[in-house]
Amino acid sequence: MAAAASDQPAPSGLEQYLRPLRLLRHHKLTVTGAYVGTIGQTIVTLIIPQFVKWIVDSGIGGAPLHAGIPQWVANAIPPALAADTMGLVVASVTMLLLLSFVRGGFTYLTGVNSEVVSQSVAYRLRNALYHKLCSLSFRFHDQSTAGDLLSRAAQDVERLRFLTGRALLGIVNALFLMIATAAVLFAMDPLLAILAMLVIPPLMWQAWKFAKAYRPLSMEIQKQLGVLTTVLEQNLRGIRVVKAFAQEKAQVGAYNAANSVWFEHSADAAQMRSVRIPLLDLLAGLGSVVVVYFGGRAVINQSMSLGELLAFMTYLAQLIMPIRRMGMIVPFVAMAGASSERVFEVLDTKSAIADGEGTPPLPPIRGDIEFDRVSFNYTPANRAITDVSFELKAGEILALLGATGSGKSTLINLIPRFYEASGGRVLIDGIDVRDVQLHSLRRQVASVLQDPVLFATSIRENIGFGLDDPGQDQIVEAAKAAQAHDFIMEMPQQYDSRVGERGTTLSGGQRQRLSIARALIVNPKILILDDATSSVDTETERLIQAALDNLMANRTSIVIAQRLSTVRRADKILLLDQGRVAGLGTHRDLWESSSIYRSIYEGQLQR
Amino acid sequence: MSMSTSAYRSIVRSVRHNTPDSDDTEADVRFSRYILARLLAYLKPHKAKMAAAFAAMLLVTGLSLWIPILIKDAIDVHIKASDTQALLRISATIALAYGGTFVFQALQRYFMAWVGQRVLATLRLELVTKLQILPIDYHTRRIVGVIVSRVIGDVSVINELLSQGLIQLFSDVILLFGIVWVMLALNANLALLTFTVIPFMVLSTYIFSKKARDRFRQTRTLAADMIGNFAETLTGMRVVQAFGQEQKMTRLFDADNSNTRQANIHSMKLAFTFLPVVEIMSVVATCLILLFGARAAINNLEGITVGIVAAFLAYATRFFQPIQELSQLFTTMQSAMAGGEKIIEILDTDEGVKDPEDGRSMPPIQGRVEFSNVGFHYDESVAVLHNINLVIEQGQTIALVGPTGAGKTSIANLIPRFYDATDGRVLIDGVDVRTITQSSLRSQMGMVTQEPHLFTGTVADNIRFARPDAGMDDVIRVAKEANAHNFIVELVDGYETEVEEGATNLSVGQRQLICIARAILANPRILIMDEATSSVDTVTESMIQEALNRLLAQRTSVVIAHRLSTIRNADKIFVLDHGNVAEEGTHDELYEANGLYRTLYDMQFLDYQAELGIPAETPSANGLHPVAAATDLGTRQPRRT
């Protein structure tokens, strides 16, 4: 695999196609089935016109039986049959029918196998993407948008599916048929064959030229459609604000601008497309005119039979078809190249945080935490922390205080290694978090953060999220401790009620309690908590407070403190100012030593 | 001789329809004349282009019927007669016919594609415009992703019907009848014999389409589920990783993914059974022609010539194409109708809140707000507000307090006319809000919502949202007033920093400050504030409070209150209970009155004490009002069913 990230130069054009095609090696047998099928199909297709010719020449035209067929075939025909012209026609027609059945079998074989192969490639790619995205660090997800990643997993993978399935098969089939037909045509009449096939080079050239010009345009259209989607989605998500400030007209204007660009590009593409297929047809038609004229002269000169001319025309028609099909495939193939780039860009991204070879798991922990001169530089200035050190014994509570952007969130994210410290060490029970498996670390550390994300499944599954196979008792117990049991029981389907899109059917307070239950059930030794509550009424506020008390009992907790009770209950308070430690100690220590602390504390009281 | 071109195209098309954004109801959709008429109306402005495309289509169809006859003549007449000159002439004619086909086909395709894309763009714009007009209520009940897929996905399906489908329909029908006519004219008996295949063809196509529709619909549902699962995980990725559930989630996704693959293969198996069946039927037709053509030729019957046989072979091939395309078209039309129905539904949605006929504007607002006997209920549900009477004088700050569901948010929503009162009148400066245009009203009002919403774009763009033409100095001035300037300049690109999706690169407090700056710049005469300062740290909170005080100054302000500090400063407090104004007055008056307000207040005071523990050593006993920290009076939006 190539190195990391998006800043690396794009791989060569050919490589973009080879990478998805290499995935076919996992399905050797099926691929073989598909291609054997397509070759069989082609061979039968090539034989069929010979029967037509035969019937026309010998059956209708009354030519001698042996004209134009190999001697050994002629010899194989029983003399009795050869004498009876009508019998011969009937036999030929029967053969024709039989052959078409064989061809049908091959068609099915090809189709189903190629479908299985391409669907499997898509399946494999989607799984790989999913797996990769799960393993990529927070930093990656901070910098990417869900919509973009999703379109890679959906549209781009679909295009690669088409590439590895029907497109490749179509191309192989077309090439094979082309070469074989050309050979047959040559065998029948070399001069006429050359004349008829003069149209092929311009056909190929046209297809290539089209692909070259069409690809950037179609990518531009796709991109613009993405812009349209984003503009609309943003508009709808903020529709309250739009209406509140009476900005509807400006919003429609912005949309229309993007829409017009889209239309311009689409009209250009329509123009390109509208000429393509008719042009292929034209060139094909001209090929057949050449055959009618020169073939007709040959028949007049008696150097060719009428049946041969008909067969020749049939072959030519067959030759044109795959080329026409290739013409249709070409724009898709062109787009698949870009899709391949987008899919593999994600797959090639190296996770900034990953387990090394043979990293040991973190043994069951007591819960001591130590920050040893920890620094972290993240691009936005307000996320950095510098030289932070503190120690926390198992079971203690640390309250984090500081202004917005002072680095509190960054600090707590370093413990489960969502981000990695750029300097110093984060130690749990004396073990550097970088020296243990991520999974074993994170399963012993739970976080309850602002704006809890719930999944669109049942409440039961949301609460039991962190466990592999939670029992009903455990779930109810956690829900009770999180003060969520009562409202859950009031819902129509209780624990089986489904959570709506991003938890919209639940109020903020309810979501918060569910996320507390979710953390409680895994019984973490270390708890990371943002004790902010969204705007809730007094009763809910009390319930949440009780839930948080239950949550913090008997574990090491690091809390971004928004409320007095937390600060007062903390064993230690860490005061952050612009990413640096501005004070560390108990409430009493800090009250006496730190003016910043006093002003924060009073600030809260003055309200 | 082979049918596979059109059959192939039909498969490609059905796969292309296999996208996860449309719903699964299309099988039940009838060809509603109303919807069709509505959709066709979008073609009207493009009459000239449509007519040109139609004419081109007729010419192409005519030429494609004529060419086989020419070839037949070339074989039967000129080659048989050994007339090289005539052969050259007819070859040239054929070449010209092909040339003509090319020109007209290209024109037809271009015009239709152009019209299709134009209609697409128009429809999308109309939908977006309509969505702006639809009331808030409409949006709160719908999932954004679904609407987006209507505007982007369904519209493009309709395009397929309007641009390609319609003309294809005519061209197929004409071609079909043309071929039948020519074949009958060439040799009636042989033609009728060939036609015997048609019933089987139609029947098998019908059976296939029916089965395929079910299977493809199922496939589509599964694919939609899978993509939905993927999207969910992306949204909750931080939670997945925080709980170390990557493996479990991957396993779950694998199951969905694998189901989708199986369903796809299952559907396509059907298609790949149908394909050979069609091919074989086409060969059967060829065989019939050859067999009886040969017999007739041998026995010198009915003047069947080699040329006629050749022409028949050519026509028989073309003959099946329109039949198949028509069946394919039927499927396209079904999904287009399904999409069309949903789009027309949006376009036909009642706007609820409407501008007055005379389009009168609100004069510059002074700021007096009056509710006169106002009652309100959402659609079918029970009344949320009963007979509300209240007056807010110009420049006053009033607070709305009360338990959840008391009607605070409903009152706030009636002032900018997000909803219309079901009874009574809402007056601003004595003007009934229903008698003036919404934009003239709202452009003089501002709102700070509970969840600070930012758009993607730069920080500066967000601040100048309500006044896109505002200069940079204005932006900086209001940012300073909103206490936002200091942190903004420290962002990577200062005011030009791009706000990430979901504003994840800003803290909640920072977002709130930007929203306040936005409201200050809008300089509204009336401000509605759903106070939401609880989820930020204490320092930020006091910064927000300070900024808010500047924002509230000198304008009429309605605060949906969460914090007592604001309430204490308010000129008047309205205590709501079950949709009625239970009490009104200043903090001191209400406290003395010893009613609901006092109860709520004392309850919070107790909470506060509990939170403090016994505050012996705290610096709180310094005369400041103790009821501050985490005390809310409850402001969730009223629950609706």
Side-chain angles (χ1 to χ4, degrees), chain A residues 102-146:
Chain A
V102 172
R103 184 166 68 176
F106 280 127
T107 304
Y108 182 79
L109 185 73
T110 308
V112 170
N113 277 315
S114 79
E115 190 64 22
V116 168
V117 167
S118 64
Q119 288 290 348
S120 301
V121 166
Y123 163 81
R124 204 174 274 277
L125 282 173
R126 280 191 299 257
N127 262 3
L129 278 173
Y130 192 94
H131 187 255
K132 187 77 196 184
L133 288 172
C134 279
S135 74
L136 285 171
S137 69
F138 277 30
R139 186 183 290 206
F140 174 87
H141 289 285
D142 289 344
Q143 288 163 352
S144 37
T145 62

Side-chain angles (χ1 to χ4, degrees), chain A residues 18-84:
Chain A
L18 289 180
R19 284 194 68 179
L21 292 180
R22 271 188 215 120
L23 292 172
L24 294 175
R25 69 174 188 271
H26 299 291
H27 308 279
K28 287 196 188 92
L29 195 65
T30 331
V31 171
T32 312
Y35 286 87
V36 165
T38 200
I39 289 170
Q41 200 187 350
T42 313
I43 291 172
V44 177
T45 305
L46 285 173
I47 295 175
I48 285 178
Q50 287 296 343
F51 279 85
V52 178
K53 162 184 167 288
W54 208 353
I55 295 164
V56 172
D57 271 359
S58 308
I60 306 174
L65 182 62
H66 301 281
I69 53 169
Q71 194 57 41
W72 61 271
V73 180
N75 291 342
I77 300 169
L81 186 60
D84 172 12

Side-chain angles (χ1 to χ4, degrees), chain B residues 190-347:
Chain B
L190 197 53
L192 289 174
L193 190 68
T194 315
F195 296 157
T196 53
V197 187
I198 296 180
F200 299 101
M201 186 79 192
V202 170
L203 185 71
S204 63
T205 305
Y206 175 75
I207 294 173
F208 167 75
S209 311
K210 221 170 129 79
K211 278 198 165 181
R213 201 163 57 226
D214 292 345
R215 285 204 196 170
F216 280 123
R217 187 163 35 150
Q218 200 202 352
T219 308
R220 207 149 40 214
T221 313
L222 285 171
D225 285 353
M226 174 193 67
I227 291 300
N229 178 337
F230 204 108
E232 271 281 303
T233 308
L234 279 177
T235 318
M237 185 56 78
R238 286 169 180 76
V239 178
V240 172
Q241 294 195 3
F243 284 90
Q245 291 301 307
E246 296 93 334
Q247 280 171 16
K248 181 167 103 184
M249 297 304 275
T250 307
R251 223 169 34 240
L252 287 174
F253 178 76
D254 181 51
D256 278 3
N257 194 4
S258 161
N259 284 340
T260 308
R261 176 180 63 166
Q262 284 313 323
N264 265 313
I265 292 172
H266 190 56
S267 307
M268 290 309 284
K269 266 189 184 160
L270 193 68
F272 285 116
T273 316
F274 179 61
L275 194 59
V277 169
V278 172
E279 277 186 355
I280 287 167
M281 279 190 203
S282 137
V283 172
V284 168
T286 306
C287 287
L288 284 174
I289 293 167
L290 286 173
L291 201 56
F292 289 88
R295 208 175 69 105
I298 288 167
N299 302 331
N300 267 330
L301 293 174
E302 303 176 34
I304 293 180
T305 61
V306 177
I308 287 182
V309 172
F312 257 75
L313 290 179
Y315 282 124
T317 309
R318 284 167 192 237
F319 177 70
F320 291 103
Q321 204 165 314
I323 295 183
Q324 265 191 288
E325 279 180 356
L326 282 174
S327 95
Q328 187 50 51
L329 204 59
F330 181 74
T331 319
T332 310
M333 280 179 89
Q334 271 182 321
S335 42
M337 288 305 281
E341 193 172 278
K342 287 167 196 151
I343 282 162
I344 297 296
E345 187 188 296
I346 294 181
L347 290 174

